[in-house]
Amino acid sequence: MEGNQTWITDITLLGFQVGSALEIPLCGLFSVFYTLTLLGNGIIFGIICLDHKLHTPMYFFLSHLAVIDMSYASNNVPKMLANLMNKKRTISFVSCIMQTFLYLTFATTECLILVVMSYDRYVAICHPLQYTVIMSWRVCTILALTSWSCGFALSLVHAILLLRLPFCGPRDVNHLFCEILSVLKLACADTWVNQVFIFATCVFVLVGPLCLMLVSYMHIVGAILKIQTKEGRIKALSTCSSHLCVVGLFFGIAMVVYMVPDSNQREEQEKMLSLFHSLFNPMLNPLIYSLRNAQVKGALHRALQRKRPMGRMYGLCL
């Protein structure tokens, strides 16, 4: 049997199976969204780096989230756009495995960074007097490095388990990019080890963290209700509501994709959910944090105010 197997060297990403009349408009629309994703997250990252008032643990983790979102989108979207403009939608097997590895790395790291951000809000609201001691820069750096290390390590194990499988056809992946569950369908061997590890990873980075965040936010809500001033309650709610919106979008979609039993009828739905996860979610995160956060809006305003005098001086020189 093994002697008759033909090993695949490239894979076809079926993507959106739409008419040619829709491919160019979709490509243009997704290109705009991708540009907004890079621009929005780039602005958030730049403002946090340049404005000293934002050099706090909360915005330190938000800068990591911005980098992850830019990387996450850049790993998946460019190939998807190229496939919309090209009838030959192939990707080499090595590139496909690398895309899967990076996709899992950024997704897992984002889950853990969101957990760390919720812990930061919990300490800030429930233990404000000990906040600077508990969330020292040393602790923040360790938490960020741990999140990235866990994301990389778990994704590496997934990639190793994937590479041990024989892939002898078919060559078609019914997805927008090399998503791990879709790639596993190409294997001509039993994938139960991979499936078990995927489930264990979901429990570790989705179910467990989500339970911890729910508990922390129960304590946060209790602490907010005890705040005497109306302004204090509004300020606390604004920072927490932004984080809750991002958590709800990210964890909700991830749990539907990876923890709901698979079926052929769900393939097209999973494509839409993955598109939202890869493109719309990274684009919405900067809007959620900037529109609902007075400090970010204030930093952006100060950055624009600094540029205006420079522009006037440049005009006078000319």
Side-chain angles (χ1 to χ4, degrees), residues 120-134:
D120 171 73
R121 290 300 83 206
Y122 165 75
V123 176
I125 294 172
C126 297
H127 304 282
L129 298 179
Q130 292 86 26
Y131 179 71
T132 54
V133 177
I134 297 172

Side-chain angles (χ1 to χ4, degrees), residues 40-56:
N41 284 287
I43 290 173
I44 291 288
F45 181 76
I47 288 174
I48 292 171
C49 290
L50 296 174
D51 197 304
H52 293 287
K53 291 184 178 181
L54 298 183
H55 289 180
T56 62

Side-chain angles (χ1 to χ4, degrees), residues 61 147 154 170 195:
F61 295 125
S147 299
L154 288 172
Q195 299 286 352

Side-chain angles (χ1 to χ4, degrees), residues 117-126 213-227 236-237 239-241 243-244:
M117 290 175 73
S118 70
Y119 175 70
D120 171 73
R121 290 300 83 206
Y122 165 75
V123 176
I125 294 172
C126 297
M213 283 188 283
L214 289 174
V215 172
S216 67
Y217 270 100
M218 287 172 62
H219 288 283
I220 287 170
V221 170
I224 289 174
L225 293 175
K226 294 178 182 177
I227 297 175
L237 282 171
T239 56
C240 292
S241 60
H243 184 254
L244 276 175

Side-chain angles (χ1 to χ4, degrees), residues 47-92:
I47 288 174
I48 292 171
C49 290
L50 296 174
D51 197 304
H52 293 287
K53 291 184 178 181
L54 298 183
H55 289 180
T56 62
M58 175 182 171
Y59 296 103
F60 171 73
F61 295 125
L62 183 56
S63 68
H64 280 267
L65 186 65
V67 171
I68 292 168
D69 282 340
M70 287 189 288
S71 305
Y72 191 72
S74 297
N75 181 55
N76 301 332
V77 177
K79 183 60 180 176
M80 183 182 71
L81 296 176
N83 288 343
L84 282 171
M85 298 298 293
N86 191 359
K87 295 296 180 183
K88 188 181 179 182
R89 301 177 174 183
T90 58
I91 182 173
S92 69

